Amino acid sequence: MTSFGNVAEYSAKHPKPAGVTFAYGTAGFRTIGETLESTVFRVGLLASLRSQSKQGKVIGVMITASHNHERDNGVKLVDPMGEMLQQSWEGYCSEIANAESNEQVVQVLASIAQAESIDLSITPRVVYARDTRPSGPLLQAALEDGLAALGTNATNYGIVTTPQLHYYVRCLNTAGTPAAYGEPTEAGYYEKYGQAFLRLVDGRPTPSPLHIDAANGVGAPQVRKLAAAINSPYFTADVSNSDTETLGRLNIDCGADYVKSNQRAPAGMVLKPGSRYCSFDGDADRIVYYFVDEHGTFRLLDGDKISTLVATYLRDLVATAGIDDLHVGVVQTAYANGSSTSYIKDTLKLPTAFAKTGVKHLHHEAEKMSIGVYFEANGHGTVLFGPSAVARLRDATPQTPAQADAIQRLWILRDLINESVGDAMSDMLLVEAILICKDWTLSQWNAAYTDLPSRLLKVVVADRTIFKTTNAEQTLTSPADLQNVVDSLVGKFPRGRSFVRPSGTEDAVRVYAEAATRADCDQLAYSVAGAVFDKAGGRGELKSAIHLKQK
């Protein structure tokens, strides 16, 4: 039986820093790495309790800060099907992280156990991993103390990508069931996704090499292992920004977030017309593609473009398969470019739902669909095959060879996709397979629609909590009348759209705008930002309060 008797003693080794408040959000906890030691220790305790609440199912803990600077680190929990932590437990995370004494840590554990009616006689099971950050070993040791304090059956998966850990958790919890997901090892991961990729592209023309910017992160060694496991001319990887040893290189002037935000190639890569390029982020859960055209102009294929590519391919397969009540839908956030939304609705004729910013919100919305495609514009996303879709594919009786081929390809696609979470490597193979099957270049993919010019600004305000939104964060309900001002400004510009939402981490709000031309877009963005500053407590001088966040 689990006892809390050792917890205070272990906790004393990892004291909470004075005057610091921690909050668990969509990305878990994330801040300066060394500041997180006490928090990661306590996450180990909570992961153990979460496992017991799930009758001993495996819970995952990942130590990473994704696309953040190398000095930062973070930690998040992974639920039994490889999904993000149930939202109702996020409050428990913040509560235990902010306990001010060792005794209070024990009290919080006991109160959670009572509130959730947890059977403490169950042996908890937890698996964990980390990325390449220098604070990783310190935080891993703290986590291991938290697990040991509750006698947890723990397994260290070492240095792997975040999506790989999600995959392992799902595999471990589905082993021996009809929903078995795969072998919970690195080799099993490469086998599952690599073989599905090869089955999809078999017999097609082989492509040129793919040039991969690995952000000097954990994705570099892992994608090389994936390429070696595939061992086929259908996937030749030229990996750049792969230095995981030198301090200060992670995510610096490279990676998916850098490329997306700056609309330019990462350091160390010289782009040539006709070649394909993509970038991972530091823990390889985001991916964006890009190329230069014959005039040398940089072209970005972000999460919106990936979403429409995947949705198009799935729509066509579903139509060919001829299965009743099998439908494809797309989930976006307010940050999705308006041209992508119009393309999905008007050209693809697919239903589109909007969700609040944050992958967990898109994931939950996609779960409501038969086949749900979701990607944030930053390149984080995946595809979910719902229970109804699986049942209809299983029961389908093809009447023609074309139907049989389409149904088989849908099954293979399900094997190729990491349904638990956005996965840069799985998504990369998905994109590559579709491009090979359609015999498309990146230029042909990009030609499907043209993005509207967009601008993202940050406005520093005295109190972000006064900003309340509805309609998936696209409409302000507070401060009073500010939305009317935004609507009035938007109406002045052809194809104009703008929204205001509070930051989740600082006293600032984000202002997003798009319009038919770059000049109109910028005028709209700065006009809305000025209105926010004037009417909702902008801090300091107007010029210094507004910051360019993204082109």
Side-chain angles (χ1 to χ4, degrees):
M1 177 174 178
T2 300
S3 167
F4 299 147
N6 295 326
V7 170
E9 181 181 350
Y10 273 99
S11 182
K13 296 166 56 180
H14 308 284
K16 177 184 176 294
V20 179
T21 300
F22 300 99
Y24 193 100
T26 298
F29 293 109
R30 193 173 291 182
T31 187
I32 302 298
E34 288 73 14
T35 309
L36 278 171
E37 183 183 347
S38 66
T39 298
V40 176
F41 163 77
R42 296 171 187 193
V43 165
L45 300 174
L46 200 64
S48 303
L49 215 56
R50 179 66 175 164
S51 174
Q52 291 173 314
S53 78
K54 292 294 183 179
Q55 291 73 51
K57 289 188 180 296
V58 176
I59 297 298
V61 178
M62 185 70 199
I63 299 171
T64 182
S66 188
H67 59 280
N68 280 37
H69 191 280
E70 185 177 274
R71 65 176 177 271
D72 293 340
N73 215 324
V75 63
K76 64 178 182 177
L77 287 92
V78 179
D79 259 358
M81 287 299 286
E83 74 274 43
M84 294 187 177
L85 179 67
Q86 182 179 316
Q87 192 166 357
S88 63
W89 274 66
E90 292 180 2
Y92 292 150
C93 291
S94 299
E95 183 181 4
I96 197 166
N98 292 301
E100 293 295 342
S101 68
N102 303 323
E103 292 72 25
Q104 192 177 354
V105 170
V106 176
Q107 291 168 8
V108 171
L109 285 175
S111 68
I112 295 170
Q114 182 177 17
E116 298 290 332
S117 301
I118 295 173
D119 181 354
L120 298 178
S121 69
I122 296 172
T123 299
R125 295 191 297 157
V126 174
V127 298
Y128 60 96
R130 64 179 178 90
D131 67 12
T132 57
R133 295 169 186 273
S135 57
L138 170 72
L139 300 184
Q140 179 181 307
L143 173 66
E144 290 167 344
D145 274 355
L147 299 173
L150 294 184
T152 302
N153 182 341
T155 301
N156 178 11
Y157 271 95
I159 297 175
V160 300
T161 71
T162 295
Q164 283 178 304
L165 184 74
H166 284 254
Y167 164 85
Y168 300 147
V169 171
R170 186 164 182 154
C171 290
L172 288 164
N173 286 312
T174 57
T177 74
Y181 202 62
E183 182 67 28
T185 63
E186 272 194 14
Y189 175 93
Y190 305 139
E191 174 77 12
K192 176 181 172 71
Y193 298 121
Q195 288 305 306
F197 168 75
L198 290 175
R199 288 164 63 199
L200 269 179
V201 301
D202 184 45
R204 308 282 179 160
T206 56
S208 59
L210 175 64
H211 304 277
I212 303 168
D213 158 33
N216 295 311
V218 64
Q222 296 299 333
V223 76
R224 286 187 170 126
K225 292 178 186 178
L226 175 65
I230 292 174
N231 190 27
S232 167
Y234 281 110
F235 183 68
T236 305
D238 172 30
V239 184
S240 298
N241 294 317
S242 60
D243 183 358
T244 61
E245 302 295 329
T246 305
L247 294 178
R249 298 293 302 277
L250 178 66
N251 292 323
I252 296 299
D253 296 335
C254 60
D257 193 59
Y258 173 86
V259 172
K260 165 72 174 169
S261 297
N262 294 281
Q263 300 276 314
R264 65 168 66 116
M269 294 182 78
V270 178
L271 308 192
K272 298 179 180 178
S275 294
R276 299 188 322 288
Y277 302 88
C278 68
S279 286
F280 299 168
D281 66 338
D283 67 338
D285 64 359
R286 297 183 184 183
I287 184 171
V288 296
Y289 270 74
Y290 45 95
F291 67 102
V292 291
D293 63 20
E294 65 274 16
H295 305 296
T297 303
F298 179 89
R299 303 293 184 186
L300 177 70
L301 295 152
D302 61 5
D304 294 341
K305 290 281 188 176
I306 295 172
S307 180
T308 55
L309 176 73
V310 173
T312 300
Y313 191 64
L314 285 168
R315 181 205 63 166
D316 293 347
L317 286 178
V318 166
T320 303
I323 301 174
D324 292 337
D325 297 323
L326 184 62
H327 306 289
V328 178
V330 180
V331 184
Q332 297 185 306
T333 71
Y335 287 113
N337 193 275
S339 286
S340 72
T341 307
S342 297
Y343 180 77
I344 294 165
K345 290 181 176 180
D346 301 335
T347 302
L348 299 183
K349 306 295 185 184
L350 294 177
T352 304
F354 279 85
K356 292 173 62 177
T357 303
V359 174
K360 64 183 179 185
H361 301 298
L362 284 89
H363 191 96
H364 293 322
E365 198 66 35
E367 287 179 321
K368 302 174 185 177
M369 298 175 169
S370 176
I371 300 176
V373 180
Y374 76 83
F375 278 84
E376 292 189 292
N378 62 27
H380 193 164
T382 189
V383 181
L384 303 183
F385 283 72
S388 65
V390 173
R392 282 168 175 78
L393 285 171
R394 184 183 60 239
D395 297 339
T397 303
Q399 302 299 313
T400 67
Q403 287 182 335
D405 179 71
I407 292 168
Q408 182 185 39
R409 287 183 173 277
L410 286 166
W411 277 122
I412 297 171
L413 278 169
R414 185 169 181 245
D415 278 342
L416 179 56
I417 293 160
N418 188 343
E419 291 186 86
S420 61
V421 73
D423 182 340
M425 292 197 291
S426 168
D427 291 339
M428 171 191 68
L429 292 180
L430 175 61
V431 169
E432 289 295 296
I434 294 172
L435 294 176
I436 291 169
C437 289
K438 294 177 77 70
D439 194 23
W440 270 10
T441 64
L442 296 193
S443 180
Q444 288 171 301
W445 171 16
N446 188 53
Y449 67 87
T450 301
D451 279 330
L452 290 169
S454 64
R455 183 71 73 190
L456 180 60
L457 303 174
K458 180 180 77 172
V459 183
V460 179
V461 295
D463 181 10
R464 73 178 187 275
T465 64
I466 67 172
F467 290 84
K468 307 295 182 184
T469 64
T470 188
N471 187 26
E473 301 178 312
Q474 298 178 92
T475 306
L476 282 168
T477 58
S478 173
D481 297 326
L482 183 55
Q483 184 61 48
N484 291 333
V485 175
V486 174
D487 292 342
S488 175
L489 292 169
V490 166
K492 298 177 180 179
F493 300 94
R495 302 189 70 183
R497 182 171 74 94
S498 183
F499 65 88
V500 178
R501 60 177 291 269
S503 167
T505 57
E506 57 185 327
D507 273 327
V509 296
R510 312 298 189 204
V511 173
Y512 176 88
E514 59 186 39
T517 68
R518 168 55 63 195
D520 282 355
C521 168
D522 288 348
Q523 186 175 349
L524 175 58
Y526 283 99
S527 296
V528 172
V532 169
F533 183 91
D534 291 338
K535 297 180 179 298
R539 197 168 65 199
E541 296 294 325
L542 175 60
K543 186 175 181 180
S544 62
I546 299 177
H547 304 269
L548 176 65
K549 289 294 291 179
Q550 177 182 316
K551 293 183 178 179

